[in-house]
Amino acid sequence: MIGYQFMGKAHSHAYRDIPFFFEPKANPILKALCGRNKEAVEEAAEKMGWESVETDWRQLIAREDIDVIDIVTPNHTHAEIAIAAAEAGKHIITEKPLALTVEEAKRMKEAVEKHNVVHMICHNYRFVPAVQYAKQLIDEGKLGRIFHFRANYLQDFIIDPAFPLIWRLKKEVSGSGALGDIGAHSIDLARFLVGEIDEVTAMTQTFIEERPMGEMAGGLKGAVNSDEMGKVTVDDAVAIMARFANGTFGTFEASRFATGNRNKNTFEINGEKGSVRWDMENMNFLDVYFTDDDKGVQGFRRVTCTEEEHPYAGAYWPPGHIIGYEHSFIHLLYEFVEAVVDKRQPSPDFKDGYINQLILDAIEKSAEDKSWQSIPYQTE
Ligand code: SOE
């Protein structure tokens, strides 16, 4: 694995828990952890159970004893590492968004297809049992024709002007701000649950234009490391309207200035026969509404998705013993490990990441020139 901070922790924990709760066809072996700071990566490897460390990702990729490369580094490094890994015949999983640009994402997709390696992108929220069950209900036609997909992904960790200029706030490292970091998750959920998006229009806002220089300090914390100020070059918030190919009406909002919301990743889907509603901060619940309930009891009801019937949930505890954020990574990486053993493509993969990047790019273009932008699928 290349990287070892927030996502490095989530992925390392997940690999170690897969054989604990599932019967994988092969147990992942944590062979090598890679990071530039030797002392820090050795400490992380010790803590998270990696057998060895590397400080140059090129050396890691050249190792014969490595089958899979897991990329959890900042967005601007994804393309170079993934393409080199594909050329070395390694299977690849990378954190989202796939790349900085559509051009990079295209080259990543072409590289993994050319070298016939298994590839996946870590849109972990697809793998929450309640979200999987929502998809089951929709695919079974329980909601009927879908009228609305509505998603808000709201955080507030950077509302303090003293929060430093971390990599997530620099376009040359992150690609975009709230849009690509959290909006990309909502776009992936929209594609997973409802279908492809035809066209978008959007607006973005940057509330704080300058911040003290600094760096990530684990999780979503930042540490100021100079009294110099730097320019924020990404969006702090984005609002999007989208028309889906199947006629669904889509509205999205992603913000890091939604004071009081820590990781409020939510969606609501309204159909002719019913609706579903999900909120990551109450991730085990799925609120459902069906028009054929008796009139006297009609209303949203809350289902706790910890039954055998709810995908992945039955692997853990008896009903009602809920699970957490970290379990979504266990489910995703379990599916990745199975796909690598079977040498087949899991979902979401680099093609999903590329389409996501096309949508992110269209949103940015639309916000720039106040236009509607069609998604250029035909160029894939
Ligand atoms: C920061 O916004 C972040 O860590 C995202 O990068 C993750 O993808 C999301 O799952 C939680 O918030």
Side-chain angles (χ1 to χ4, degrees):
M1 184 164 72
I2 304 168
Y4 54 91
Q5 298 222 9
F6 181 7
M7 288 300 127
K9 192 172 179 181
H11 289 211
S12 302
H13 166 267
Y15 287 125
R16 299 183 61 160
D17 256 12
I18 292 169
F20 211 90
F21 295 104
F22 296 91
E23 311 296 327
K25 292 175 181 157
N27 287 353
I29 299 169
L30 309 187
K31 289 302 282 183
L33 187 63
C34 182
R36 285 167 301 184
N37 178 322
K38 189 164 173 32
E39 198 183 316
V41 73
E42 280 174 345
E43 187 185 331
E46 171 69 26
K47 185 177 175 64
M48 300 196 290
W50 291 83
E51 291 178 9
S52 65
V53 302
E54 294 286 349
T55 53
D56 176 348
W57 61 264
R58 289 171 187 75
Q59 284 177 20
L60 174 70
I61 284 176
R63 281 174 50 167
E64 294 295 312
D65 62 341
I66 298 292
D67 303 308
V68 167
I69 293 292
D70 184 339
I71 305 170
V72 291
T73 45
N75 306 343
H76 68 308
T77 63
H78 292 180
E80 188 183 13
I81 295 173
I83 291 167
E87 288 166 352
K90 309 298 185 188
H91 306 298
I92 306 162
I93 180 155
T94 180
E95 266 296 330
K96 38 48 65 184
L98 192 64
L100 279 191
T101 64
V102 167
E103 186 278 331
E104 280 187 351
K106 192 165 190 292
R107 282 190 294 115
M108 293 168 80
K109 184 169 82 75
E110 288 167 352
V112 293
E113 289 166 351
K114 178 181 174 192
H115 297 282
N116 194 26
V117 293
V118 175
H119 47 96
M120 194 171 193
I121 180 170
C122 193
H123 278 296
N124 56 300
Y125 295 114
R126 287 193 185 203
F127 295 86
V128 171
V131 176
Q132 289 276 321
Y133 193 63
K135 176 151 180 72
Q136 218 171 285
L137 292 173
I138 292 166
D139 290 355
E140 287 164 1
K142 294 287 192 321
L143 303 191
R145 174 187 168 206
I146 304 296
F147 300 127
H148 284 279
F149 177 87
R150 186 173 308 106
N152 293 325
Y153 197 152
L154 308 176
Q155 295 180 339
D156 64 355
F157 72 100
I158 58 169
I159 61 173
D160 180 350
F163 189 98
L165 192 74
I166 56 172
W167 69 262
R168 281 182 163 89
L169 303 178
K170 298 174 185 173
K171 187 168 185 59
E172 71 277 12
V173 179
S174 184
S176 61
L179 172 60
D181 189 26
I182 49 180
H185 278 300
S186 299
I187 290 165
D188 181 68
L189 287 174
R191 295 189 57 243
F192 177 57
L193 295 162
V194 172
E196 295 302 352
I197 291 171
D198 263 358
E199 54 178 1
V200 294
T201 188
M203 64 181 265
T204 57
Q205 178 87 24
T206 303
F207 294 107
I208 296 176
E209 307 267 355
E210 277 211 331
R211 292 178 178 269
M213 305 300 280
E215 72 251 334
M216 293 303 292
L220 290 181
K221 298 189 197 69
V224 174
N225 62 12
S226 123
D227 50 12
E228 266 184 66
M229 297 296 279
K231 191 163 171 23
V232 173
T233 50
V234 296
D235 56 284
D236 288 330
V238 58
I240 303 154
M241 289 196 293
R243 208 183 298 284
F244 286 73
N246 64 11
T248 301
F249 186 106
T251 52
F252 301 72
E253 191 184 359
S255 177
R256 291 165 162 160
F257 278 71
T259 314
N261 294 283
R262 296 295 193 257
N263 194 40
K264 203 148 190 69
N265 177 3
T266 69
F267 63 75
E268 177 167 332
I269 299 172
N270 308 127
E272 64 183 331
K273 293 159 69 177
S275 294
V276 289
R277 224 170 21 207
W278 175 75
D279 167 6
M280 177 59 201
E281 291 187 356
N282 295 287
M283 67 174 271
N284 291 278
F285 298 136
L286 185 70
D287 291 344
V288 300
Y289 175 95
F290 296 111
T291 55
D292 60 4
D293 280 347
D294 293 344
K295 272 278 182 292
V297 290
Q298 277 198 358
F300 273 98
R301 56 179 185 273
R302 177 150 284 189
V303 176
T304 305
C305 297
T306 53
E307 307 290 335
E308 292 288 333
E309 288 71 19
H310 302 122
Y312 305 110
Y316 296 99
W317 321 115
H321 297 58
I322 56 174
I323 60 174
Y325 171 70
E326 68 278 16
H327 295 83
S328 66
F329 292 92
I330 297 174
H331 308 155
L332 183 145
L333 291 170
Y334 165 62
E335 297 301 349
F336 177 60
V337 166
E338 295 296 90
V340 167
V341 174
D342 296 343
K343 278 201 70 74
R344 60 176 164 77
Q345 260 317 105
S347 182
D349 64 10
F350 279 23
K351 183 178 175 195
D352 292 297
Y354 170 67
I355 291 171
N356 198 298
Q357 208 82 41
L358 286 174
I359 298 166
L360 295 175
D361 186 57
I363 289 164
E364 287 201 288
K365 284 195 176 85
S366 157
E368 198 119 320
D369 58 17
K370 296 184 172 43
S371 65
W372 275 90
Q373 293 283 330
S374 298
I375 311 303
Y377 294 105
Q378 69 282 359
T379 58
E380 62 179 295

